[in-house]
Amino acid sequence: MNVLGINAFNHEPSACLIAHGCVAAAVEQEKISRQKDTHGFPAEAISECLALARVEPAEVDLVAISRRHLLEVQSHAWHMLRHFPQSLNLLRADTAALSKASKRSRYLEMRPRLRSLLRRNVPIAEFSHHQSHAAAVFFQSQFEDALVLVADGIAEYDTCWLGHLRKGSLRELARVPFPHSFGMIYAAFTDLLGFQSFKDEWKVMGMAAYGSPRFYEQLSGMISVGSDFAVRINPRYFSFPTHGRRQWFGPAFPFLRLKRAPHEAITQEHYDLACSMQSVFEDRMLALVRSVMTSYPLSKNLCLSGGVFLNCLFNGRLNQTDLFDNIYVDCNPGDAGSAMGAALLGLGSGLKPLEHSNHLGREYTADEIRSALQQSGVQFKELQSVEELACLLDRGKVLGLAHGRSEYGPRALGARSILADPRLAHMKDKINSQVKYREHFRPFAPSVLESEQHHWFPGNAFSPYMSFAVPALVEKAALVPAVVHGDGTSRIQTVRKETNPFYHELISGFSKLSGVPMLLNTSFNIRGEPIVYAPSDAIQTFRRAALDALVMPPFLALR
């Protein structure tokens, strides 16, 4: 059975195809279209998945959608009635969006678009957004049973979802209704601090390392967590439930004076506010997880999905507790990852394990890479060996790497990465300013050999997808300053030979030269653009960024 899962007309449109008894392909629309943060229909991602799996449109048996659209419309209507007449502000706040929706309804458009793309009427099934997340992360974890916690801004009408999965059966345990949302609160602070909500939350997380939690007491009442999965926001602090995104905060919120315009300088108070909010966020999220264990002690395995769990600082803190024996974070926790879960729910059973790898995009052939390089006019040569690349890194060169199947998820993990020497203290500022063209406080991750992880970072975090920020050992941190953030933590990626042999060999080669079993790794893109996908994308970014070399095996281009 061939099942196409899609996330459409929401954040991060994407597609995932289950074919031939396995997850054959999964791709985000933005990586193909080269338009970041689109909210449309993933037509190009669907076509790419079909091509990668060598499945004809007529061979798709079911389309699984990761959202129950009718329920979402009904829930929003109920919210408007429940909060009438204050909810009229939602209409005033989003007139343009309503006008667009009236002309081109995403719900009515779905079936015609699918019929046009697949050339026939294919059966369509809609699944709960949060249950789609739950199915995806549980499948990836390969646990026999687990508690699954999903948290994001809002989906249908819920903001958090808790379930128990055991050998393919899914049982819902509890939900948190809108507006009581950790994701919405973080989005509100992202907007307040001058960034784009539902896009730049990790910038706020990065800012937190440069502040102190001196506003903690004043923010501690913004959200509360009780027993049995009960979450409540402070209605005096937040007005987004009745005013939308144009007015996130209520008049009683004590820090309206710190509202920053995008072009304005970031002050120490902004850093302190980010730090204080992050601290309250972590404490309340940890209280929520503790309430899960108290009320539903059904498993010692925990799976996490939803955009909230892109917060690697919280994930790292949770991992340091003894609440669970095993914690697994989705390789693609945001909305894009729900396409995989919808496909899994559509299939039902009989799927082969994923083997902890999210390399589900396209791998380009040597002929395709050579052709792209020749057409671009970039001078290149045959790559002699992986040791050649290790030597370049050891000499302080910055490399752009495009190799193998691209990653499914928001983080580059050695297939579409920018790499550098983590020992060089100036490398962080250099890549932020001259390569990525982004804020100076943004951190970089270390890709570390899993077998060497414990020598540099305490604990045993299983972090193949950069899911956990962990403290670097004090005696080691000074040796790799480019990948240790201002708070002493690193968002580690643990690398296994079995899942990425080329990348493992490269890090091992660098380790032999330097004595350091890791590389600085960041996504292969510049600010405001999606991660590169095709060779032409990599070449274009190579030309615009201050990279010393472009690596697309079996070829190497040097400046």
Side-chain angles (χ1 to χ4, degrees):
M1 183 175 182
N2 298 324
V3 181
L4 175 66
I6 63 172
N7 173 53
F9 299 111
N10 297 299
H11 296 285
E12 305 165 0
S14 60
C16 174
L17 183 64
I18 294 177
H20 318 302
C22 67
V23 177
V27 182
E28 295 90 342
Q29 172 70 11
E30 68 171 30
K31 292 178 181 176
I32 311 297
S33 69
R34 308 310 300 159
Q35 296 178 353
K36 194 169 180 64
D37 302 316
T38 58
H39 291 72
F41 182 77
E44 291 163 289
I46 292 171
S47 297
E48 180 75 349
C49 286
L50 293 172
L52 291 176
R54 298 181 179 179
V55 170
E56 294 296 323
E59 295 178 308
V60 174
D61 299 300
L62 176 71
V63 175
I65 300 172
S66 64
R67 196 172 291 255
R68 297 170 64 188
H69 289 127
L70 180 59
L71 176 60
E72 190 167 61
V73 171
Q74 292 172 337
S75 298
H76 288 181
W78 166 245
H79 180 80
M80 293 290 293
L81 290 172
R82 183 182 180 189
H83 294 279
F84 187 84
Q86 291 86 353
S87 59
L88 291 175
N89 290 296
L90 292 170
L91 302 182
R92 301 187 187 104
D94 211 10
T95 303
L98 286 173
S99 175
K100 183 177 180 181
S102 67
K103 295 176 183 177
R104 191 180 182 187
S105 169
R106 61 184 183 180
Y107 309 128
L108 298 178
E109 188 180 346
M110 189 82 73
R111 290 179 185 273
R113 293 291 297 269
L114 285 168
R115 183 169 58 247
S116 174
L117 191 63
L118 300 177
R119 304 169 196 163
R120 65 189 179 96
N121 287 317
V122 180
I124 296 174
E126 292 188 353
F127 296 98
S128 155
H129 185 73
H130 286 157
Q131 290 189 15
S132 295
H133 275 305
V137 68
F138 182 70
F139 164 68
Q140 295 166 33
S141 73
Q142 300 183 33
F143 293 149
E144 288 292 320
D145 79 293
L147 287 166
V148 183
L149 176 59
V150 180
D152 52 20
I154 178 176
E156 283 104 27
Y157 198 67
D158 299 323
T159 68
C160 293
W161 183 93
L162 178 68
H164 182 228
L165 281 81
R166 180 176 178 84
K167 294 183 178 179
S169 67
L170 182 154
R171 180 163 67 100
E172 180 181 296
L173 299 175
R175 292 181 290 174
V176 175
F178 183 80
H180 309 291
S181 170
F182 285 96
M184 296 297 281
I185 286 180
Y186 217 101
F189 277 87
T190 300
D191 179 81
L192 181 73
L193 290 167
F195 303 112
Q196 187 173 336
S197 58
F198 301 107
K199 174 185 175 182
D200 294 334
E201 279 73 10
W202 37 33
K203 295 183 182 181
V204 176
M205 185 171 60
M207 285 178 63
Y210 295 92
S212 67
R214 63 189 180 104
F215 301 133
Y216 182 96
E217 291 302 321
Q218 290 163 279
L219 293 179
S220 62
M222 69 180 182
I223 187 167
S224 61
V225 175
S227 60
D228 198 19
F229 216 60
V231 178
R232 293 291 180 269
I233 65 166
N234 186 338
R236 297 178 63 250
Y237 275 20
F238 299 102
S239 58
F240 65 80
T242 54
H243 289 71
R245 301 182 190 181
R246 290 185 62 181
Q247 187 175 326
W248 286 100
F249 295 96
F253 181 71
F255 296 102
L256 292 176
R257 63 181 178 82
L258 292 182
K259 171 66 176 173
R260 187 182 77 88
H263 64 276
E264 291 178 335
I266 299 174
T267 69
Q268 189 56 50
E269 280 191 302
H270 292 127
Y271 288 116
D272 292 344
L273 184 62
C275 180
S276 302
M277 186 277 295
Q278 174 70 31
S279 296
V280 174
F281 169 86
E282 290 181 22
D283 286 349
R284 299 300 178 268
M285 279 296 300
L286 192 58
L288 182 67
V289 176
R290 291 187 187 279
S291 79
V292 167
M293 280 305 296
T294 300
S295 301
Y296 306 99
L298 302 176
S299 177
K300 291 296 285 182
N301 299 320
L302 178 66
C303 293
L304 302 173
S305 190
V308 163
F309 297 110
L310 285 165
N311 195 299
C312 58
L313 288 174
F314 168 73
N315 297 344
R317 182 173 171 188
L318 176 61
N319 194 60
Q320 292 174 352
T321 70
D322 59 358
L323 293 173
F324 292 89
D325 293 339
N326 301 290
I327 298 175
Y328 190 95
V329 182
D330 197 331
C331 72
N332 199 351
D335 281 357
S338 66
M340 177 185 287
L344 290 163
L345 291 172
L347 181 69
S349 62
L351 198 64
K352 298 175 184 176
L354 193 59
E355 300 298 344
H356 300 310
S357 176
N358 70 333
H359 297 271
L360 296 169
R362 182 177 291 273
E363 178 176 12
Y364 288 85
T365 66
D367 287 342
E368 290 171 323
I369 296 169
R370 182 189 294 107
S371 177
L373 287 166
Q374 289 172 341
Q375 290 179 24
S376 72
V378 170
Q379 297 298 309
F380 66 97
K381 66 171 188 172
E382 295 273 349
L383 177 64
Q384 299 302 312
S385 65
V386 174
E387 287 73 20
E388 183 179 6
L389 303 180
C391 289
L392 288 173
L393 290 162
D394 188 50
R395 287 162 43 201
K397 303 299 183 181
V398 182
L399 277 54
L401 172 64
H403 172 69
R405 300 189 70 175
S406 67
E407 300 93 343
Y408 176 56
R411 288 162 179 157
L413 304 169
R416 304 291 188 275
S417 291
I418 291 173
L419 306 174
D421 187 342
R423 299 171 298 173
L424 304 179
H426 73 277
M427 195 58 76
K428 177 182 172 182
D429 290 337
K430 177 181 178 179
I431 297 178
N432 271 332
S433 63
Q434 300 176 32
V435 178
K436 303 278 283 187
Y437 306 116
R438 66 184 195 179
E439 298 84 359
H440 71 91
F441 56 79
R442 302 280 293 277
F444 295 105
S447 294
V448 59
L449 299 178
E450 187 178 67
S451 59
E452 298 295 322
Q453 171 190 353
H454 62 285
H455 293 305
W456 296 79
F457 306 100
N460 60 343
F462 177 66
S463 189
Y465 311 122
M466 294 185 188
S467 304
F468 300 93
V470 300
L473 291 172
V474 175
E475 65 273 19
K476 297 285 191 176
L479 300 177
V480 287
V483 293
V484 178
H485 201 29
D487 58 0
T489 65
S490 296
R491 189 187 70 205
I492 63 170
Q493 175 199 358
T494 50
V495 180
R496 286 180 174 177
K497 183 177 181 179
E498 295 78 13
T499 54
N500 197 335
F502 178 88
Y503 196 36
H504 187 278
E505 184 181 358
L506 176 56
I507 299 172
S508 298
F510 179 78
S511 179
K512 290 177 182 177
L513 295 173
S514 66
V516 174
M518 70 188 77
L519 290 172
L520 180 155
N521 178 14
T522 187
S523 56
F524 195 167
N525 66 323
I526 60 177
R527 183 179 182 178
E529 295 187 357
I531 298 174
V532 304
Y533 188 78
S536 57
D537 307 328
I539 292 167
Q540 184 179 35
T541 303
F542 174 62
R543 282 175 157 165
R544 297 168 60 194
L547 294 169
D548 298 304
L550 172 60
V551 184
M552 294 193 289
F555 304 110
L556 170 65
L558 297 169
R559 288 212 187 269

